[in-house]
Amino acid sequence: MSDRNELVERYLAAWNEIRPDARQALVADVFAEDATYTDPVVAVRGRDGLDATIAAVQEQFEGLRFSLGGPVDAHHDLARFTWHLGAAGADPLVIGFDVVVIGDDGRISQVLGFLDRVPAGA
């Protein structure tokens, strides 16, 4: 399970990385080249689409950080986890959970995201 936990931690690190070059390196490390990401707001394919989505979320929620909201639950090639988005030490502004499919190379090939709590107007 520790490899799944590490992958999820690197996934969240990609969402938190604000330096474009470093973020793109994390995206390449974590995601398969043709990975898909789907949540209620966006659906993208490929690392460039993922990077652009992460950059847009960072712009919308400037200064906030993603963190793991509980344990990672995994079996076979799947993992699910709750995440929080907010300021350090404060109640999270946004809460969601993701289900990821992990490819044979250990990278994420698909993300299915769900939003449990979103501020009005976001």
Side-chain angles (χ1 to χ4, degrees), residues 29-46:
D29 180 52
V30 171
F31 293 99
E33 191 171 334
D34 64 344
T36 60
Y37 176 92
T38 307
D39 71 17
V41 180
V42 66
V44 297
R45 176 180 295 276

Side-chain angles (χ1 to χ4, degrees), residues 48-67:
D48 289 342
L50 285 156
D51 181 60
T53 298
I54 292 169
V57 169
Q58 289 174 348
E59 184 177 320
Q60 182 178 5
F61 296 102
E62 188 175 354
L64 302 183
R65 308 259 315 153
F66 285 90
S67 62

Side-chain angles (χ1 to χ4, degrees), residues 58-114:
Q58 289 174 348
E59 184 177 320
Q60 182 178 5
F61 296 102
E62 188 175 354
L64 302 183
R65 308 259 315 153
F66 285 90
S67 62
L68 193 57
V72 176
D73 183 23
H75 63 81
H76 297 87
D77 62 347
L78 303 171
R80 70 176 177 163
F81 54 93
T82 299
W83 51 262
H84 295 167
L85 176 62
D91 284 339
L93 184 63
V94 181
I95 298 174
F97 82 89
D98 290 349
V99 176
V100 298
V101 178
I102 302 162
D104 292 337
D105 65 356
R107 290 185 170 99
I108 295 172
S109 62
Q110 183 179 25
V111 179
L112 302 170
F114 296 84

